[in-house]
Each structure stands twice: as C-alpha cells, then as structure tokens.
Amino acid sequence: MAYERGLQERCIELLERLRLPYRFGTDELIDAVAALRGKPIDLVAMEPPPPGVVVHGQLHQFEDLDVIMYEPATYQLHQLHSVSHEVGHLLFEHPDDPSLRAVAQEEARSQGRDPSKIIRVSGRTGYSSIQEVEAETLASLIRQRMYRSRLLPPPQPSGSAERWEAAFTRPIKERRR
C-alpha cells in the first residue's frame, strides 16, 4: 500500500512537470512530453506483431526522436491509453527491453529509419514488472486528467465560457472513505 501511494505521488509529480492545461488532448500531451525531453515524438500505427506475440504498444527511442507505436486494430480509447502508457515509460526513463529489440529493428526498417540508431525499446505485453505497473499507473492518471475536463468545471475559470460553465455545473459529492 505504501508503494502504491508513493507511486501515485511520483506520477503526479511527473504530470506536474508537463505543465498541461486544464483541458488537453493527446496532441497536447505529446507536445508537452516532447518539449520536456527536448526531442520530437512520432505516433505510428504499428504492424501486427508475429504470431504468438501480444503487444499493445511499443516505444522506440532513437538519439534524436522517440517513436510511440500503437495497435491500430483496436478501439480508439485503447489506442489512446496505450499511447499514454508508452509516455509513462518515457517519463520514468525505464530501461531497455531486449526481448523486443528484433521486432523494433524490423519496424524501424519498415519506416525507413536506421535500426542501429535505436537506443531503447519497450512494449506493453503484460503488467507483471514494476516498470509496467509504473507506466500503467501514470497512463491511468493521464487519461483521468484528460477526461476530468469533460466532467468537471475548471478549478480556476479563466474567460467567460469557463466561468459560465463553472457557475452552472453541479458539484459531484465526494464519497466518504
């Protein structure tokens, strides 16, 4: 339980470093992470993995570019969650996953990138490692913040539209713990 509480605090600290606006989407998230890391991020629909391999998303880190790959044959919310999960690996600076290197090199070749320039690879295949739990927790918090703006008014409204929205939104009662 203490680990989970500490993990949530670390995730919130990472999110605060991004300085995301109250209302943000995937594009703003990717732009904020790219700015923080000092290099661009490409989002790419990945090719189907080899038979028997289950991968929902991958991260290929090059010296001058990060590539986040998502599974195109799934529903949009799952794709967006996979992208957020890979952002988690970037922000936590998780180590390389050598078991995915061959698949990553083949993907890089198919995209016209030099596979020898890959410096780190990760992919979401399960949730058994600490790195996967960290990335998944951060992804959940990212998505929660994205959707919060659709459910609640801004805490500090700016502009007439947000003030109007805040004035006429019924507060959600918090449950007792």
Side-chain angles (χ1 to χ4, degrees):
M1 192 69 151
Y3 170 76
E4 290 174 6
R5 201 170 16 260
L7 173 58
Q8 190 168 22
E9 289 170 4
R10 286 195 321 271
C11 289
I12 290 169
E13 287 171 13
L14 286 170
L15 277 172
E16 295 302 320
R17 288 177 51 203
L18 296 176
R19 301 182 190 277
L20 290 161
Y22 179 71
R23 291 177 194 242
F24 69 96
T26 302
D27 290 341
E28 291 87 0
L29 172 66
I30 295 303
D31 290 346
V33 175
L36 181 69
R37 293 181 48 75
K39 60 181 173 177
I41 299 172
D42 280 353
L43 296 181
V44 176
M46 67 182 179
E47 296 294 321
V53 176
V54 178
V55 178
H56 301 291
Q58 287 186 28
L59 170 63
H60 302 171
Q61 293 178 263
F62 294 83
E63 295 167 0
D64 59 346
L65 172 73
D66 293 321
V67 179
I68 294 177
M69 305 181 74
Y70 60 90
E71 182 182 1
T74 188
Y75 54 96
Q76 187 178 20
L77 286 176
H78 189 238
Q79 291 172 358
L80 297 175
H81 190 81
S82 293
V83 168
S84 298
H85 179 96
E86 299 308 325
V87 162
H89 285 301
L90 275 175
L91 294 177
F92 273 106
E93 298 179 353
H94 287 147
D96 188 50
D97 182 348
S99 69
L100 295 172
R101 184 147 303 260
V103 173
Q105 289 172 331
E106 189 56 41
E107 279 287 342
R109 270 189 214 81
S110 73
Q111 297 168 16
R113 294 188 171 96
D114 182 353
S116 69
K117 301 281 188 193
I118 295 175
I119 56 174
R120 189 175 298 144
V121 178
S122 68
R124 185 165 72 140
T125 58
Y127 303 102
S128 58
S129 72
I130 294 294
Q131 289 89 1
E132 291 302 315
V133 171
E134 289 173 343
E136 190 63 17
T137 301
L138 184 55
S140 296
L141 287 173
I142 288 169
R143 303 316 294 176
Q144 180 185 37
R145 286 193 180 193
M146 287 176 133
Y147 301 131
R148 164 187 71 182
S149 69
R150 292 173 179 94
L151 302 173
L152 301 171
Q156 298 176 341
S158 63
S160 60
E162 286 185 357
R163 285 193 296 276
W164 182 263
E165 181 182 342
F168 290 99
T169 302
R170 285 191 274 166
I172 297 174
K173 294 181 182 178
E174 289 189 28
R175 295 181 186 171
R176 290 186 176 178
R177 296 177 189 203

